[in-house]
Amino acid sequence: MSPALRSPTTGDDLRSALMLTLALTAARLVALFSTPLELYPDEAQYWLWSRTLDFGYYSKPPVIAWAIWATTAVGGDAEAWVRLSACLFQGGATVVVFLIARRLYDGATGLAAAALYGLMPGIQLSALVAATDAPLLFFLGLSVLAYVAHLQATDARRRLLLAVGFGAALGLAFLSKYAAVYVVIGLAAHLLASAEARRAWTPITAGAAMLATAAVLAPNLAWNATHGFATFQHTAANAAWSGVQLFNLAEAGTFLVSQFGVFGPIPMGALIAGVGIAAARRRLSQPDLLLLCFTLPPLLIVTVQAFISRANANWSGAAYLTGTILVAAWLLRWRARRWLVAAIALQGFVAAFFLAAVISPALADRVGLANGLKRARGWSQTADLILDRAFREPGLTAIAVNNRFLFYSTAYYGRERLTELGVPLASWLLMEGPRNQAETAAPLTPAIGGHVLMVSYEGWRRSEMQADFEAASGLEIGSVWLDRKHKRRIEMFTGRGFRPSPRDPVTGLPRAPVVSVPPGRPTPP
């Protein structure tokens, strides 16, 4: 990309973007350190991973665990410190959005894009939750920034360094979430569409970028190779969604509608309108083409995925960092400043309400949004119910739960009492093999199954759990209110002599006993 495509900017835009980012980050920090909302079980899972650093984990690459380890090493294991890295990653991503837009267009576009991105509804949630999306978007943004800078560079040495930076950032994006593959797809699409982009790469710079990516990814690939490629298999299985209705137009429609909530109604509408205008005119500027190549593939691929089976609203999140820049550029080019101001104002209002609801969940309850927060409530009380019962049972050899949410929330909220009790927390396996990291790392086995406190989430499969013991007794049902309408129920009993029955791999239920029938006699029904 020619340096002439870059527009002049002033330092005022950069200062404004930094002030916006600092203000948003400060508001999010206030919410993080004052919210009564508890860790969602997936967050507790990532925290537990961070206690044992590794180059990979059952369902995700390692960056999320590394980040939590770093922040909790500074401030301790409280919820805010577990989530802190998400806030910092999204603050960094907002600045990166500004820098990309300024390189491709000008400082005014960069400031508008930073505002749209920082206030995006989906980003508000991502910045306050310990998950893989925040580091993915930060490193994805760095890779796009390095790619753009590489295309604009004229010095061979600088291009080589930027190619290495692009490869390293892409590797870190992959270590955050395998959805970084959309960067590779976007890169391939841009190289196919732009002769100018192809000319910017040489065999040396392309090789340097690939080597840098490979070097960053190598430890994770080695970990997967020694663990049966567990993360890859989980990612593939998650995308496959076996057991759901296939070719469902309603699912695709639901996913597309959800994107208006993730991206914001005005930006999403502008993105659709801009794509339509570009298709009608059959003409795109070089910056627009580059951004479209990184924006459209995630949206199109995940929409197809939603139609074939189903998709979560955040699966297309890789589209919106570059998509925000494109929308800001188009709105300014169309002189639709009122729409831009309206978009920023609307998303600012939503962001303010969201932060207020995080600080005071009663606000969400009053406006009928309590259901959206129920999974971040009541886990400490649930852990207390389990451990109160455990302390009343002398001689326990283990506590076993039948749900990964229960496993991770009990591991986090019962961490001190579990240490005091001195018995392992385990997972009861429904199937013959493990299906998640809790079942892989801490399965209930006969070696620890002498006297077990068994916990069933909502009573699920309790009869099958009881059948795995020589004796089961002391059924107790406990519940925790999550709001005025919803409560969580657990059923607990003690089991002695764990002898798991063979399972049918299709149903998960105990296999029927094999009955030997002498020749000439009828087969029993």
Side-chain angles (χ1 to χ4, degrees):
M1 183 173 299
S2 170
L5 292 176
R6 290 176 290 177
S7 301
T9 62
T10 67
D12 290 342
D13 295 315
L14 176 59
R15 284 191 292 272
S16 297
L18 291 175
M19 289 176 63
L20 169 68
T21 302
L22 289 173
L24 283 171
T25 302
R28 290 165 181 163
L29 288 174
V30 170
L32 276 180
F33 282 90
S34 58
T35 182
L37 294 175
E38 297 177 340
L39 292 188
Y40 180 71
D42 279 342
E43 297 178 283
Q45 173 182 226
Y46 303 145
W47 169 83
L48 188 59
W49 291 356
S50 74
R51 303 306 89 185
T52 307
L53 292 182
D54 210 335
F55 287 111
Y57 299 91
Y58 181 89
S59 60
K60 296 291 188 295
V63 162
I64 182 64
W66 296 351
I68 292 172
W69 173 85
T71 55
T72 55
V74 173
D77 293 322
E79 291 92 338
W81 290 96
V82 173
R83 292 167 168 156
L84 178 61
S85 64
C87 180
L88 301 180
F89 277 128
Q90 287 296 5
T94 303
V95 175
V96 170
V97 164
F98 170 83
L99 295 175
I100 296 170
R102 184 175 68 170
R103 277 191 167 273
L104 290 174
Y105 301 103
D106 53 35
T109 304
L111 182 57
L116 288 174
Y117 179 85
L119 295 171
M120 190 190 307
I123 297 305
Q124 306 319 309
L125 176 61
S126 177
L128 297 180
V129 174
T132 54
D133 287 335
L136 167 70
L137 288 168
F138 175 67
F139 291 118
L140 184 152
L142 285 182
S143 65
V144 174
L145 178 61
Y147 179 69
V148 170
H150 173 270
L151 296 183
Q152 294 175 342
T154 55
D155 178 74
R157 183 175 178 274
R158 179 172 172 78
R159 276 193 169 175
L160 179 61
L161 291 174
L162 287 167
V164 172
F166 168 75
L170 179 58
L172 288 168
F174 270 108
L175 290 184
S176 301
K177 191 174 184 178
Y178 292 150
V181 70
Y182 290 125
V183 178
V184 178
I185 296 171
L187 171 64
H190 189 236
L191 291 175
L192 284 172
S194 172
E196 189 174 353
R198 292 193 297 273
R199 286 193 296 269
W201 288 90
T202 66
I204 292 176
T205 56
M210 288 188 285
L211 283 174
T213 302
V216 174
L217 270 178
N220 179 249
L221 294 174
W223 181 92
N224 269 282
T226 58
H227 290 77
F229 291 95
T231 316
F232 294 154
Q233 291 188 33
H234 172 85
T235 303
N238 198 37
W241 287 102
S242 60
V244 301
Q245 180 180 342
L246 298 180
F247 306 112
N248 192 332
L249 191 61
E251 285 289 345
T254 299
F255 170 76
L256 289 173
V257 170
S258 73
Q259 300 310 289
F260 285 85
V262 173
F263 195 30
I266 296 176
M268 190 65 190
L271 182 61
I272 294 171
V275 170
I277 291 171
R281 293 179 177 176
R282 299 183 181 180
R283 187 177 70 252
L284 281 170
S285 68
Q286 286 295 317
D288 290 3
L289 175 63
L290 184 152
L291 293 171
L292 266 181
C293 286
F294 286 96
T295 300
L296 287 184
L299 286 170
L300 295 176
I301 291 170
V302 180
T303 300
V304 171
Q305 165 71 14
F307 171 67
I308 293 174
S309 55
R310 59 165 295 186
N312 291 339
N314 69 317
W315 285 7
S316 60
Y320 291 130
L321 188 140
T322 50
T324 297
I325 301 169
L326 196 55
V327 165
W330 281 345
L331 289 175
L332 289 173
R333 188 181 306 160
W334 299 338
R335 298 183 180 179
R337 293 183 179 271
R338 290 184 179 179
W339 283 104
L340 177 60
V341 171
I344 293 172
L346 177 60
Q347 297 194 174
F349 173 79
V350 172
F353 176 82
F354 177 79
L355 290 173
V358 168
I359 294 171
S360 178
L363 176 62
D365 295 347
R366 286 196 294 270
V367 297
L369 298 177
N371 192 49
L373 301 178
K374 68 181 182 181
R375 289 188 176 181
R377 288 172 158 170
W379 294 110
S380 60
Q381 292 173 274
T382 305
D384 283 342
L385 283 176
I386 295 170
L387 289 165
D388 286 347
R389 172 67 185 270
F391 272 91
R392 298 197 303 268
E393 295 284 347
L396 283 181
T397 57
I399 300 171
V401 300
N402 70 347
N403 176 275
R404 71 181 185 91
F405 279 12
L406 275 182
F407 182 90
Y408 290 116
S409 60
T410 303
Y412 178 78
Y413 285 105
R415 56 192 182 275
E416 295 179 358
R417 298 183 72 188
L418 281 168
T419 300
E420 181 184 352
L421 187 63
V423 300
L425 178 66
S427 283
W428 174 78
L429 275 64
L430 170 65
M431 308 293 284
E432 288 185 300
R435 298 169 300 162
N436 53 58
Q437 177 128 2
E439 294 181 355
T440 301
L444 178 61
T445 64
I448 59 172
H451 181 198
V452 186
L453 174 63
M454 298 294 294
V455 186
S456 171
Y457 185 78
E458 300 290 346
W460 183 77
R461 300 291 196 190
R462 177 170 57 81
S463 59
E464 285 87 353
M465 295 170 70
Q466 290 172 324
D468 279 348
F469 289 88
E470 294 176 356
S473 61
L475 178 63
E476 178 182 343
I477 298 176
S479 61
V480 174
W481 283 99
L482 309 178
D483 55 53
R484 288 178 294 180
K485 296 181 179 180
H486 303 93
K487 66 179 180 179
R488 181 179 300 121
R489 190 182 83 255
I490 58 171
E491 298 184 6
M492 298 176 283
F493 66 91
T494 55
R496 293 181 181 272
F498 181 60
R499 298 292 183 269
S501 305
R503 305 279 167 182
D504 185 313
V506 176
T507 67
L509 299 174
R511 287 198 181 107
V514 177
V515 179
S516 177
V517 181
R521 294 192 179 182
T523 303

